[in-house]
């Protein structure tokens, strides 16, 4: 698969196909990410971002930012990951992409949990929950409620934790 990607990159570099080149860089990055080769994955995700930025591919840029953030999250570099998620979040909100906005907010809530920052996690999960309710996104509701339950448990508010856990479970049951 890597040989195919490398040949494709060489071919696309000589023609004016910025979308295809960006997607190829991302594909190589995803391949390396799956193989636990974070530095190589990050290198190709950065190339994808640079190419998308250089050619004004606004629709593709948030996905590049999320993939870069995911590498930093995996490495435990939470503040750097959050900065990339923030950039992607701003772009998705501005474009009105509610589903992707909800996903990013939930990912940020999870990172803040890992970083032991319950208040920021609650803030982002609550935003995801509100938007999920507006959009009638059951999966977003479930994920946000699960995050909220975990955060409230961590700060010792067991009553709220149980409330959100019940909502999460009720939403999960309605999905199946």
């Amino acid at each position: 698969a890597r040989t195919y990607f490398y040949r494709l990159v060489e071919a696309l570099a000589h023609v004016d196909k910025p979308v295809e080149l960006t997607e190829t860089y991302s594909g190589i990055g995803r391949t390396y990410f799956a193989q636990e080769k974070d530095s190589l994955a990050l290198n190709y995700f950065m190339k994808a971002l640079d190419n998308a930025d250089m050619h004004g591919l606004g629709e593709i840029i948030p996905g590049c930012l999320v993939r870069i953030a995911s590498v930093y999250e995996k490495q435990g570099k939470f503040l750097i990951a959050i900065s990339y998620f923030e950039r992607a979040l701003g772009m998705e909100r501005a474009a009105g992409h509610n589903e992707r906005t909800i996903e990013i907010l939930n990912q940020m809530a999870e990172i803040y949990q890992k970083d032991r920052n319950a208040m920021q996690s609650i803030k982002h999960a609550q935003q995801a929950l509100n938007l999920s309710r507006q959009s009638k996104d059951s999966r977003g509701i479930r994920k946000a409620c699960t995050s909220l339950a975990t955060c409230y448990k961590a700060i010792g508010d067991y009553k709220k934790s149980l409330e959100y856990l019940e909502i999460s479970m009720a939403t999960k049951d309605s999905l199946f």
Side-chain angles (χ1 to χ4, degrees), residues 146-162:
T146 300
S147 287
L148 287 164
T150 302
C151 286
Y152 281 113
K153 180 182 173 190
I155 62 173
D157 191 338
Y158 300 109
K159 184 178 178 185
K160 274 193 175 179
S161 178
L162 184 57

Side-chain angles (χ1 to χ4, degrees), residues 106 109-110 113 118-130 133 140-168:
N106 277 321
E110 289 177 10
Q113 283 177 25
M119 299 316 291
Q120 282 295 323
S121 183
I122 289 169
K123 174 186 165 188
H124 286 80
Q126 192 63 57
Q127 289 178 30
L129 178 59
N130 293 341
R133 284 180 171 158
I141 292 170
R142 187 182 78 233
K143 191 165 187 160
C145 286
T146 300
S147 287
L148 287 164
T150 302
C151 286
Y152 281 113
K153 180 182 173 190
I155 62 173
D157 191 338
Y158 300 109
K159 184 178 178 185
K160 274 193 175 179
S161 178
L162 184 57
E163 287 174 22
Y164 284 111
L165 192 56
E166 287 173 350
I167 295 169
S168 176

